[in-house]
Amino acid sequence: MAKRDYHVVPNGERGGWDVRREGSDRSSGHFERKSDAMDRGRELARERRTELVEHGRNGRIQDSDSYGNDPNPPRDRKH
């Protein structure tokens, strides 16, 4: 089964932020504020037990959080 993580990415055409699932043609939601997009992405990732990947305005990955069954969880202390 392919990994289908959620990504919070900037929308270059409409402005604001999109929540997109890997392999999807359409976004799962469009938001004016990044914090709103992150909240929705976190909700979707928890429901489907996947990972949420946060991107910056430049498109580069800033952070990621796993909400699935990770056999080797990282030892980070950020959350």
Side-chain angles (χ1 to χ4, degrees):
M1 183 174 184
K3 196 171 172 187
R4 301 280 308 249
D5 297 335
Y6 284 94
H7 294 254
V8 174
V9 296
N11 184 314
E13 295 175 9
R14 296 170 44 191
W17 297 86
D18 286 344
V19 178
R20 297 187 64 102
R21 189 159 192 192
E22 284 182 13
S24 173
D25 293 332
R26 297 179 359 171
S27 70
S28 300
H30 177 78
F31 302 88
E32 292 301 315
R33 297 185 320 180
K34 185 176 182 179
S35 61
D36 294 337
M38 288 296 296
D39 290 343
R40 179 63 179 146
R42 197 172 291 114
E43 181 181 308
L44 291 168
R46 282 183 180 147
E47 287 175 5
R48 289 160 181 86
R49 301 180 58 84
T50 62
E51 191 165 324
L52 176 63
V53 181
E54 176 184 359
H55 294 258
R57 274 271 172 222
N58 60 4
R60 291 186 178 192
I61 294 175
Q62 290 182 328
D63 197 11
S64 65
D65 288 320
S66 179
Y67 297 100
N69 185 14
D70 192 351
N72 279 325
R75 297 178 190 246
D76 66 11
R77 306 262 190 258
K78 66 181 177 179
H79 298 286

